[in-house]
Amino acid sequence: MREPVIIFGMHRSGTTLVVELLRRLGFFPGARLEENLEPWFFLRRNEWLLRRAGGAWDHPTPMARLLEDDRFCSEAAELMASEVQHRFFEFTGVRARRKRERLLSEPWGFKDPRSTFTLPVWLRVFPRARLLCVHRHGVDVASSLHLRATRDDPRRSVLDIRPMRSRIKASLRRFELLGHYSESARCQSLQGAFQLWEEYVTQAEAVLEGHPGPKHRVSFERLVREPHSELTAIAELAGLEADEASILGACAGIRADRAFAFASDPKRMALWREVRSSECLKLLSYDQEPGEA
């Protein structure tokens, strides 16, 4: 099986954009994807791991502590490896099961921001995985998370309510397939959302530093401002053979004004001045004035 590309980083940082661009160049991100191009196979297992630690996507630090237990990490990796090696590996999709080996000999991988905290498990399953870590300015991320958490949308419920029969059926499966909970009380405030971004950045950098294999940091701002050069580097790491015309075609429609979007909003600029001394902002050179970056 060809080594996968694992795309991770904080939620709302541009991981979906990266997957979409790679998919235009022939990358296989999974047969069954949710709306943010995250494959259900890996998403469900990442959520399962987070729940085992008593955490969640917006409360991820318990996972980092649990993975300090080598026994848990080994047993979790063994369980995940058995799922991946099964002849009905769900990631390839029902129709593709007979073509599994051909599909997985081509550039493939998965994207899930939760992987930022579960990567120690997946890197035992895929020790030669290629890592793509996506970073975006923390204030823009916090603004996006805050907007999503506070918007008034009658189609979204605070609770994911499902019939009891469906819940019982799901609980009998190896990995509970309960609807994943995406709302976050923590992101009701800009400050809470920014602190969550700091936790993801800290963990992502620790993972990158310890990984001896191929890896690349993707700057969201550089990607939208200089898409051709950045996508060329991303495609190379992913093992895609893309010509000049394909790269240019994939980049069509990318908006450069998405970089440092917070600079046009006084409220968001006030948050930036408040958190400017953040070590994570300094680490990623986001402590400069937006116009100077």
Side-chain angles (χ1 to χ4, degrees), residues 10 22 34 56 91 99 109 124 142 152 154 194 206-207 216 265 269:
M10 178 56 181
L22 287 175
E34 54 85 79
F91 179 79
K99 303 176 182 178
R124 293 195 181 203
D152 184 15
F194 182 82
V207 169
H216 180 66
D265 186 308
M269 280 297 293

Side-chain angles (χ1 to χ4, degrees), residues 69-89:
D69 182 340
D70 187 69
R71 179 181 176 184
F72 171 83
C73 201
S74 296
E75 291 183 355
E78 183 179 349
L79 175 59
M80 298 305 165
S82 70
E83 293 284 312
V84 170
Q85 294 163 5
H86 196 279
R87 67 190 183 94
F88 291 141
F89 182 27

Side-chain angles (χ1 to χ4, degrees), residues 183-248:
E183 302 301 323
S184 172
R186 188 175 185 184
C187 296
Q188 294 285 324
S189 73
L190 283 168
Q191 289 76 10
F194 182 82
Q195 290 168 2
L196 181 59
W197 173 82
E198 290 182 304
E199 292 174 9
Y200 270 80
V201 168
T202 300
Q203 180 66 15
E205 287 300 308
V207 169
L208 283 174
E209 184 177 349
H211 183 60
K215 54 192 172 184
H216 180 66
R217 289 176 180 82
V218 181
S219 162
F220 174 82
E221 290 77 18
R222 187 165 59 247
L223 178 59
V224 297
R225 287 180 165 180
E226 305 170 19
H228 180 272
S229 61
E230 189 64 16
L231 181 55
T232 299
I234 294 171
E236 181 179 352
L237 181 131
L240 292 164
E241 297 180 3
D243 56 30
E244 188 79 6
S246 298
I247 295 286
L248 290 173

Side-chain angles (χ1 to χ4, degrees), residues 19 23 27-34 37-42 89-93 96 103-104 107-111:
V19 173
R23 188 161 67 163
F27 180 77
F28 180 62
R32 296 182 61 244
L33 306 174
E34 54 85 79
L37 303 184
E38 293 161 14
W40 285 109
F41 178 87
F42 288 101
F89 182 27
E90 178 191 333
F91 179 79
T92 56
L103 279 173
L104 299 186
W108 73 284
F110 62 93
K111 165 254 183 179

Side-chain angles (χ1 to χ4, degrees), residues 23-155:
R23 188 161 67 163
R24 294 176 188 177
L25 298 176
F27 180 77
F28 180 62
R32 296 182 61 244
L33 306 174
E34 54 85 79
E35 61 183 1
N36 293 309
L37 303 184
E38 293 161 14
W40 285 109
F41 178 87
F42 288 101
L43 187 154
R44 292 300 190 194
R45 283 148 184 81
N46 280 336
E47 290 195 333
W48 184 83
L49 285 168
L50 285 167
R51 287 201 297 272
R52 298 286 75 73
W57 75 268
D58 63 342
H59 180 51
T61 51
M63 189 72 224
R65 290 193 292 270
L66 182 59
L67 289 178
E68 293 174 0
D69 182 340
D70 187 69
R71 179 181 176 184
F72 171 83
C73 201
S74 296
E75 291 183 355
E78 183 179 349
L79 175 59
M80 298 305 165
S82 70
E83 293 284 312
V84 170
Q85 294 163 5
H86 196 279
R87 67 190 183 94
F88 291 141
F89 182 27
E90 178 191 333
F91 179 79
T92 56
V94 175
R95 294 182 180 178
R97 284 173 183 167
R98 295 179 182 176
K99 303 176 182 178
R100 177 176 183 271
E101 294 305 322
R102 182 182 68 81
L103 279 173
L104 299 186
S105 67
E106 300 170 357
W108 73 284
F110 62 93
K111 165 254 183 179
D112 184 4
R114 299 164 189 79
S115 297
T116 305
F117 284 85
T118 62
L119 266 172
V121 171
W122 294 117
L123 288 177
R124 293 195 181 203
V125 180
F126 305 112
R128 294 182 294 113
R130 305 180 180 201
L131 302 186
L132 276 176
C133 179
V134 187
H135 284 312
R136 187 182 185 185
H137 198 293
V139 176
D140 272 336
V141 170
S143 299
S144 182
L145 287 170
H146 176 65
L147 178 63
R148 185 176 69 175
T150 57
R151 69 186 179 191
D152 184 15
D153 187 344
R155 296 171 299 177

